[in-house]
PDB file of all heavy atoms in Angstrom:
ATOM      1  N   ALA A  13      15.663   5.977   6.549  1.00 32.00           N
ATOM      2  CA  ALA A  13      16.042   6.437   5.213  1.00 32.00           C
ATOM      3  C   ALA A  13      14.842   6.842   4.382  1.00 32.00           C
ATOM      4  O   ALA A  13      14.983   7.463   3.334  1.00 32.00           O
ATOM      5  CB  ALA A  13      16.820   5.337   4.477  1.00 32.00           C
ATOM      6  N   ALA A  14      13.641   6.517   4.843  1.00 34.00           N
ATOM      7  CA  ALA A  14      12.455   6.870   4.076  1.00 34.00           C
ATOM      8  C   ALA A  14      12.098   8.343   4.184  1.00 34.00           C
ATOM      9  O   ALA A  14      11.196   8.816   3.509  1.00 34.00           O
ATOM     10  CB  ALA A  14      11.259   6.034   4.533  1.00 34.00           C
ATOM     11  N   VAL A  16      12.582  11.273   2.906  1.00 32.00           N
ATOM     12  CA  VAL A  16      13.213  11.753   1.692  1.00 32.00           C
ATOM     13  C   VAL A  16      12.218  12.589   0.910  1.00 32.00           C
ATOM     14  O   VAL A  16      11.048  12.660   1.218  1.00 32.00           O
ATOM     15  CB  VAL A  16      13.715  10.573   0.822  1.00 32.00           C
ATOM     16  CG1 VAL A  16      14.872   9.876   1.494  1.00 32.00           C
ATOM     17  CG2 VAL A  16      12.591   9.592   0.558  1.00 32.00           C
ATOM     18  N   ALA A  17      12.684  13.184  -0.166  1.00 31.00           N
ATOM     19  CA  ALA A  17      11.844  14.039  -0.989  1.00 31.00           C
ATOM     20  C   ALA A  17      10.827  13.230  -1.775  1.00 31.00           C
ATOM     21  O   ALA A  17      11.030  12.074  -2.088  1.00 31.00           O
ATOM     22  CB  ALA A  17      12.709  14.842  -1.957  1.00 31.00           C
ATOM     23  N   VAL A  18       9.709  13.859  -2.086  1.00 32.00           N
ATOM     24  CA  VAL A  18       8.637  13.249  -2.856  1.00 32.00           C
ATOM     25  C   VAL A  18       8.775  13.654  -4.311  1.00 32.00           C
ATOM     26  O   VAL A  18       8.978  14.827  -4.615  1.00 32.00           O
ATOM     27  CB  VAL A  18       7.271  13.731  -2.317  1.00 32.00           C
ATOM     28  CG1 VAL A  18       6.144  13.159  -3.126  1.00 32.00           C
ATOM     29  CG2 VAL A  18       7.137  13.354  -0.863  1.00 32.00           C
ATOM     30  N   PRO A  19       8.657  12.707  -5.256  1.00 31.00           N
ATOM     31  CA  PRO A  19       8.715  13.082  -6.656  1.00 31.00           C
ATOM     32  C   PRO A  19       7.419  13.734  -7.093  1.00 31.00           C
ATOM     33  O   PRO A  19       6.375  13.522  -6.506  1.00 31.00           O
ATOM     34  CB  PRO A  19       8.905  11.739  -7.367  1.00 31.00           C
ATOM     35  CG  PRO A  19       8.190  10.775  -6.477  1.00 31.00           C
ATOM     36  CD  PRO A  19       8.421  11.273  -5.076  1.00 31.00           C
ATOM     37  N   GLN A 200      16.334   1.599  -0.518  1.00 95.00           N
ATOM     38  CA  GLN A 200      16.519   2.771  -1.375  1.00 95.00           C
ATOM     39  C   GLN A 200      15.181   3.302  -1.904  1.00 95.00           C
ATOM     40  O   GLN A 200      15.108   3.880  -2.971  1.00 95.00           O
ATOM     41  CB  GLN A 200      17.486   2.464  -2.516  1.00 95.00           C
ATOM     42  CG  GLN A 200      18.883   2.078  -2.020  1.00 95.00           C
ATOM     43  CD  GLN A 200      19.864   1.800  -3.139  1.00 95.00           C
ATOM     44  OE1 GLN A 200      19.960   2.551  -4.113  1.00 95.00           O
ATOM     45  NE2 GLN A 200      20.606   0.705  -2.997  1.00 95.00           N
ATOM     46  N   ASN A 201      14.111   3.057  -1.130  1.00 95.00           N
ATOM     47  CA  ASN A 201      12.810   3.716  -1.348  1.00 95.00           C
ATOM     48  C   ASN A 201      12.256   3.507  -2.748  1.00 95.00           C
ATOM     49  O   ASN A 201      12.106   4.443  -3.530  1.00 95.00           O
ATOM     50  CB  ASN A 201      12.932   5.210  -1.051  1.00 95.00           C
ATOM     51  CG  ASN A 201      13.580   5.471   0.291  1.00 95.00           C
ATOM     52  OD1 ASN A 201      13.191   4.888   1.303  1.00 95.00           O
ATOM     53  ND2 ASN A 201      14.593   6.304   0.311  1.00 95.00           N
ATOM     54  N   PRO A 202      11.883   2.268  -3.104  1.00 97.00           N
ATOM     55  CA  PRO A 202      11.392   2.020  -4.460  1.00 97.00           C
ATOM     56  C   PRO A 202      10.103   2.754  -4.786  1.00 97.00           C
ATOM     57  O   PRO A 202       9.780   2.942  -5.976  1.00 97.00           O
ATOM     58  CB  PRO A 202      11.192   0.499  -4.485  1.00 97.00           C
ATOM     59  CG  PRO A 202      10.999   0.123  -3.047  1.00 97.00           C
ATOM     60  CD  PRO A 202      11.901   1.047  -2.277  1.00 97.00           C
ATOM     61  N   TRP A 203       9.339   3.178  -3.762  1.00 97.00           N
ATOM     62  CA  TRP A 203       8.124   3.948  -4.033  1.00 97.00           C
ATOM     63  C   TRP A 203       8.453   5.290  -4.680  1.00 97.00           C
ATOM     64  O   TRP A 203       7.578   5.918  -5.257  1.00 97.00           O
ATOM     65  CB  TRP A 203       7.336   4.150  -2.739  1.00 97.00           C
ATOM     66  CG  TRP A 203       8.165   4.531  -1.557  1.00 97.00           C
ATOM     67  CD1 TRP A 203       8.529   5.782  -1.164  1.00 97.00           C
ATOM     68  CD2 TRP A 203       8.758   3.636  -0.598  1.00 97.00           C
ATOM     69  NE1 TRP A 203       9.304   5.740  -0.030  1.00 97.00           N
ATOM     70  CE2 TRP A 203       9.458   4.441   0.350  1.00 97.00           C
ATOM     71  CE3 TRP A 203       8.751   2.249  -0.441  1.00 97.00           C
ATOM     72  CZ2 TRP A 203      10.145   3.887   1.426  1.00 97.00           C
ATOM     73  CZ3 TRP A 203       9.440   1.709   0.634  1.00 97.00           C
ATOM     74  CH2 TRP A 203      10.124   2.514   1.552  1.00 97.00           C
ATOM     75  N   LEU A 204       9.705   5.729  -4.590  1.00 95.00           N
ATOM     76  CA  LEU A 204      10.095   6.998  -5.209  1.00 95.00           C
ATOM     77  C   LEU A 204      10.500   6.833  -6.665  1.00 95.00           C
ATOM     78  O   LEU A 204      10.342   7.763  -7.451  1.00 95.00           O
ATOM     79  CB  LEU A 204      11.246   7.634  -4.434  1.00 95.00           C
ATOM     80  CG  LEU A 204      10.969   7.989  -2.969  1.00 95.00           C
ATOM     81  CD1 LEU A 204      12.173   8.681  -2.361  1.00 95.00           C
ATOM     82  CD2 LEU A 204       9.736   8.872  -2.858  1.00 95.00           C
ATOM     83  N   PHE A 205      11.034   5.669  -7.047  1.00 96.00           N
ATOM     84  CA  PHE A 205      11.507   5.509  -8.424  1.00 96.00           C
ATOM     85  C   PHE A 205      10.791   4.407  -9.200  1.00 96.00           C
ATOM     86  O   PHE A 205      11.000   4.252 -10.394  1.00 96.00           O
ATOM     87  CB  PHE A 205      13.018   5.246  -8.455  1.00 96.00           C
ATOM     88  CG  PHE A 205      13.463   3.936  -7.849  1.00 96.00           C
ATOM     89  CD1 PHE A 205      13.328   2.732  -8.538  1.00 96.00           C
ATOM     90  CD2 PHE A 205      14.041   3.890  -6.589  1.00 96.00           C
ATOM     91  CE1 PHE A 205      13.741   1.523  -7.985  1.00 96.00           C
ATOM     92  CE2 PHE A 205      14.455   2.692  -6.027  1.00 96.00           C
ATOM     93  CZ  PHE A 205      14.299   1.502  -6.736  1.00 96.00           C
ATOM     94  N   GLY A 206       9.929   3.634  -8.529  1.00 97.00           N
ATOM     95  CA  GLY A 206       9.338   2.455  -9.163  1.00 97.00           C
ATOM     96  C   GLY A 206       8.625   2.728 -10.463  1.00 97.00           C
ATOM     97  O   GLY A 206       8.869   2.070 -11.483  1.00 97.00           O
ATOM     98  N   SER A 207       7.720   3.700 -10.473  1.00 94.00           N
ATOM     99  CA  SER A 207       6.992   4.015 -11.706  1.00 94.00           C
ATOM    100  C   SER A 207       7.919   4.562 -12.773  1.00 94.00           C
ATOM    101  O   SER A 207       7.761   4.264 -13.964  1.00 94.00           O
ATOM    102  CB  SER A 207       5.882   5.029 -11.421  1.00 94.00           C
ATOM    103  OG  SER A 207       4.830   4.441 -10.705  1.00 94.00           O
ATOM    104  N   ASP A 208       8.896   5.357 -12.367  1.00 95.00           N
ATOM    105  CA  ASP A 208       9.785   5.988 -13.334  1.00 95.00           C
ATOM    106  C   ASP A 208      10.625   4.972 -14.102  1.00 95.00           C
ATOM    107  O   ASP A 208      11.068   5.256 -15.213  1.00 95.00           O
ATOM    108  CB  ASP A 208      10.713   6.984 -12.628  1.00 95.00           C
ATOM    109  CG  ASP A 208       9.968   8.192 -12.098  1.00 95.00           C
ATOM    110  OD1 ASP A 208       8.894   8.502 -12.647  1.00 95.00           O
ATOM    111  OD2 ASP A 208      10.443   8.811 -11.137  1.00 95.00           O
ATOM    112  N   TRP A 214       6.007  -2.372  -6.459  1.00 98.00           N
ATOM    113  CA  TRP A 214       7.331  -2.405  -5.848  1.00 98.00           C
ATOM    114  C   TRP A 214       7.205  -2.873  -4.410  1.00 98.00           C
ATOM    115  O   TRP A 214       6.349  -2.437  -3.657  1.00 98.00           O
ATOM    116  CB  TRP A 214       7.997  -1.025  -5.890  1.00 98.00           C
ATOM    117  CG  TRP A 214       7.066   0.080  -5.523  1.00 98.00           C
ATOM    118  CD1 TRP A 214       6.744   0.508  -4.262  1.00 98.00           C
ATOM    119  CD2 TRP A 214       6.295   0.873  -6.427  1.00 98.00           C
ATOM    120  NE1 TRP A 214       5.830   1.532  -4.326  1.00 98.00           N
ATOM    121  CE2 TRP A 214       5.538   1.775  -5.645  1.00 98.00           C
ATOM    122  CE3 TRP A 214       6.184   0.920  -7.819  1.00 98.00           C
ATOM    123  CZ2 TRP A 214       4.678   2.706  -6.219  1.00 98.00           C
ATOM    124  CZ3 TRP A 214       5.326   1.838  -8.383  1.00 98.00           C
ATOM    125  CH2 TRP A 214       4.591   2.728  -7.590  1.00 98.00           C
ATOM    126  N   PHE A 240       2.175   7.322  -2.123  1.00 96.00           N
ATOM    127  CA  PHE A 240       2.985   6.961  -3.283  1.00 96.00           C
ATOM    128  C   PHE A 240       2.318   5.950  -4.200  1.00 96.00           C
ATOM    129  O   PHE A 240       2.847   5.641  -5.272  1.00 96.00           O
ATOM    130  CB  PHE A 240       4.344   6.444  -2.814  1.00 96.00           C
ATOM    131  CG  PHE A 240       5.067   7.441  -1.963  1.00 96.00           C
ATOM    132  CD1 PHE A 240       5.162   7.261  -0.588  1.00 96.00           C
ATOM    133  CD2 PHE A 240       5.619   8.579  -2.504  1.00 96.00           C
ATOM    134  CE1 PHE A 240       5.808   8.197   0.210  1.00 96.00           C
ATOM    135  CE2 PHE A 240       6.261   9.521  -1.719  1.00 96.00           C
ATOM    136  CZ  PHE A 240       6.356   9.324  -0.363  1.00 96.00           C
ATOM    137  N   ARG A 489       4.613  14.604   7.820  1.00 96.00           N
ATOM    138  CA  ARG A 489       4.111  14.813   6.462  1.00 96.00           C
ATOM    139  C   ARG A 489       2.659  15.270   6.561  1.00 96.00           C
ATOM    140  O   ARG A 489       1.862  14.676   7.292  1.00 96.00           O
ATOM    141  CB  ARG A 489       4.194  13.529   5.637  1.00 96.00           C
ATOM    142  CG  ARG A 489       3.884  13.761   4.150  1.00 96.00           C
ATOM    143  CD  ARG A 489       3.789  12.464   3.356  1.00 96.00           C
ATOM    144  NE  ARG A 489       4.976  11.640   3.431  1.00 96.00           N
ATOM    145  CZ  ARG A 489       6.096  11.842   2.744  1.00 96.00           C
ATOM    146  NH1 ARG A 489       6.188  12.890   1.949  1.00 96.00           N
ATOM    147  NH2 ARG A 489       7.122  11.021   2.855  1.00 96.00           N
ATOM    148  N   TYR A 501      -0.195  16.321  -0.839  1.00 96.00           N
ATOM    149  CA  TYR A 501       0.604  15.981   0.330  1.00 96.00           C
ATOM    150  C   TYR A 501       1.935  16.705   0.260  1.00 96.00           C
ATOM    151  O   TYR A 501       2.347  17.198  -0.790  1.00 96.00           O
ATOM    152  CB  TYR A 501       0.828  14.476   0.437  1.00 96.00           C
ATOM    153  CG  TYR A 501       1.602  13.846  -0.695  1.00 96.00           C
ATOM    154  CD1 TYR A 501       2.974  13.659  -0.609  1.00 96.00           C
ATOM    155  CD2 TYR A 501       0.955  13.412  -1.847  1.00 96.00           C
ATOM    156  CE1 TYR A 501       3.690  13.079  -1.632  1.00 96.00           C
ATOM    157  CE2 TYR A 501       1.663  12.822  -2.877  1.00 96.00           C
ATOM    158  CZ  TYR A 501       3.021  12.652  -2.772  1.00 96.00           C
ATOM    159  OH  TYR A 501       3.723  12.073  -3.797  1.00 96.00           O
TER     160      TYR A 501
END
Side-chain angles (χ1 to χ4, degrees):
V16 291
V18 178
Q200 299 181 46
N201 310 311
W203 44 88
L204 299 183
F205 66 78
S207 288
D208 291 335
W214 44 84
F240 303 106
R489 189 187 303 281
Y501 63 94

